[in-house]
Amino acid sequence: QGISVTVMDMADQLMPNIFDADMADYIKRKLTAKGMRIMTGTALVEISGEETGAQRVAGVRTKMGNLPAELVVFPWASALPRTSLRIRDLRWSGD
């Protein structure tokens, strides 16, 4: 409560490796009803940030535009592993 939450999934539905389309739609409706913004079909392109002694997230870039962010969470633990992608493969752009 008191924070703005956006959930993104590059697939056309939420977590297709875990949920079928009906369950994903149900979850999307429930999260939206709680005030969360749901963006499916949206891939994360870049995490931008500030270097103020420690790297801090300032936002994320998608093909649909930029979003401000203070925290980025990757729920990889709940999805099938993709060992070809490592955190260091994501591009960091400091201001």
Side-chain angles (χ1 to χ4, degrees), residues 25-93:
D25 185 54
Y26 173 80
I27 292 169
K28 182 177 180 177
R29 286 193 317 269
K30 289 295 186 180
L31 294 177
T32 301
K34 294 281 187 184
M36 294 184 195
R37 179 179 179 190
I38 309 298
M39 299 175 66
T40 54
T42 306
L44 177 67
V45 175
E46 180 178 86
I47 299 172
S48 60
E50 305 167 355
E51 294 194 35
T52 56
Q55 292 180 339
R56 294 185 53 156
V57 173
V60 296
R61 183 167 59 94
T62 71
K63 290 184 179 182
M64 298 177 69
N66 297 325
L67 296 170
E70 294 178 9
L71 176 68
V72 177
V73 178
F74 295 95
W76 288 328
S78 64
L80 297 176
R82 181 173 167 208
T83 56
S84 63
L85 180 65
R86 300 169 301 227
I87 292 292
R88 67 176 180 221
D89 291 333
L90 293 173
R91 197 168 82 209
W92 174 267
S93 68

Side-chain angles (χ1 to χ4, degrees), residues 6-21:
T6 300
V7 176
M8 289 191 303
D9 198 315
M10 63 189 291
D12 291 333
Q13 72 173 55
L14 290 175
M15 303 172 78
N17 295 341
I18 298 172
F19 302 121
D20 65 14

